[in-house]
Amino acid sequence: MHAAFTAAAGALDVTPTGPTVWGWHGRTLSRRADHLRHGACWLRLVSAPAGKQGGKIWEGTAAASVLDGTVSKPALYAVHDQVVDDTAYRAELTQYIDAPTCSPDPVVRSPLELPPTWWKQLRADLDRIATVDTDRVAVRQEWIDRVVPQYTGCAAPRITEWTTAHGDLHLANITTSGVILDWEGWGLAPAGYDAALLLAYSLREPSLADQVRETFGDLITGESGRAVMLVVVADLLQSASRGDHPDLEPALRRLLEGRP
């Protein structure tokens, strides 16, 4: 990864200057870098076995460039692909965002206060994202049919309204300045999916969860809102079964049972 990162930096004419940041399970490697024309940038390298690169996640950041200038996200400057031996690498050069993320982890575990303007901007961004025309899919009905009964014991809802979603919306993917990061998995999902996911990840901090409900209440209440919340709970219970954020499971179970 380090050698491929160095090669990509050379190909994209950037000089890495920041500390190394490893992504989930070592799949990505990123650093701040300087570019003669763009200035401070973010260089991110993703890897996959050669011949298995491509698909939704691989192409997500590049495909999300259609949203540049319309929502609060880093602009994409360039993409560089290379294959070394049996591994494929994609380097993505994007705008550097100086503001930190709101949380170091998707699950918020300490009090967090964000100004009303931050919430207003996020709501406006999600409303814009929802209207984007795309053939990308973030969540499939077939997956809902399988996972919801398995992890919640409830019948899978039949989703009738699908809108475009970021697909991985939590406060470790949103900066204190309101910029939404990590666009790998965006695409069509049940209406309200991003709001429901943000709420689920906020459940350990009741005041934060209340703010999410206040901002996005129309998306996560009523019949369609209950359906998308059920989908999100099943999603995160499946993740918990794999060892991701097990401390969130009790709150998800309470939500599933209709308890505070």
Side-chain angles (χ1 to χ4, degrees):
M1 287 286 280
H2 283 290
F5 188 94
T6 299
L12 294 172
D13 293 324
V14 296
T15 302
T17 57
T20 297
V21 178
W22 287 99
W24 186 72
H25 290 189
R27 182 175 163 269
T28 64
L29 174 63
S30 304
R31 291 181 68 184
R32 176 177 174 167
D34 290 331
H35 186 273
L36 185 61
R37 179 159 57 92
H38 299 304
C41 299
W42 188 251
L43 182 60
R44 175 180 180 269
L45 185 77
V46 60
S47 64
K52 295 186 178 180
Q53 72 269 39
K56 183 187 77 171
I57 298 298
W58 185 268
E59 299 166 356
T61 300
S65 64
V66 299
L67 295 163
D68 287 357
T70 63
V71 300
S72 305
K73 65 175 292 294
L76 177 71
Y77 296 137
V79 172
H80 177 263
D81 292 323
Q82 59 181 311
V83 177
V84 181
D85 298 327
D86 58 352
T87 304
Y89 300 95
R90 166 163 284 196
E92 300 154 347
L93 187 67
T94 59
Q95 177 186 4
Y96 180 75
I97 305 300
D98 189 51
T101 57
C102 295
S103 171
D105 189 82
V107 179
V108 181
R109 299 182 176 88
S110 58
L112 176 64
E113 292 188 10
L114 295 162
T117 52
W118 187 97
W119 291 102
K120 183 178 180 180
Q121 177 181 315
L122 181 62
R123 176 63 200 244
D125 279 336
L126 294 196
D127 287 347
R128 292 189 194 100
I129 293 166
T131 65
V132 174
D133 185 24
T134 183
D135 58 2
R136 288 174 55 85
V137 178
V139 180
R140 297 184 182 276
Q141 182 68 55
E142 295 82 1
W143 176 88
I144 294 172
D145 293 343
R146 175 175 54 84
V147 171
V148 169
Q150 181 178 356
Y151 288 94
T152 71
C154 301
R158 176 59 54 176
I159 303 300
T160 58
E161 185 179 359
W162 299 82
T163 59
T164 302
H166 173 273
D168 192 21
L169 196 76
H170 50 69
L171 290 175
N173 273 344
I174 313 175
T175 70
T176 55
S177 61
V179 177
I180 304 172
L181 309 175
D182 292 348
W183 288 81
E184 285 185 318
W186 72 282
L188 293 172
Y193 184 83
D194 282 338
L197 194 61
L198 185 61
L199 174 60
Y201 275 125
S202 303
L203 290 174
R204 285 176 53 94
E205 283 299 320
S207 62
L208 179 62
D210 287 344
Q211 182 63 65
V212 176
R213 291 185 177 98
E214 179 179 338
T215 305
F216 300 103
D218 58 311
L219 300 177
I220 52 179
T221 57
E223 184 176 351
S224 63
R226 288 190 295 271
V228 72
M229 284 305 313
L230 183 60
V231 171
V232 162
V233 168
D235 186 2
L236 296 187
L237 287 175
Q238 182 186 50
S239 295
S241 74
R242 297 168 175 168
D244 296 327
H245 319 301
D247 60 329
L248 186 59
E249 184 171 353
L252 294 171
R253 295 289 181 189
R254 290 194 297 271
L255 183 64
L256 183 63
E257 296 164 4
R259 296 186 289 122

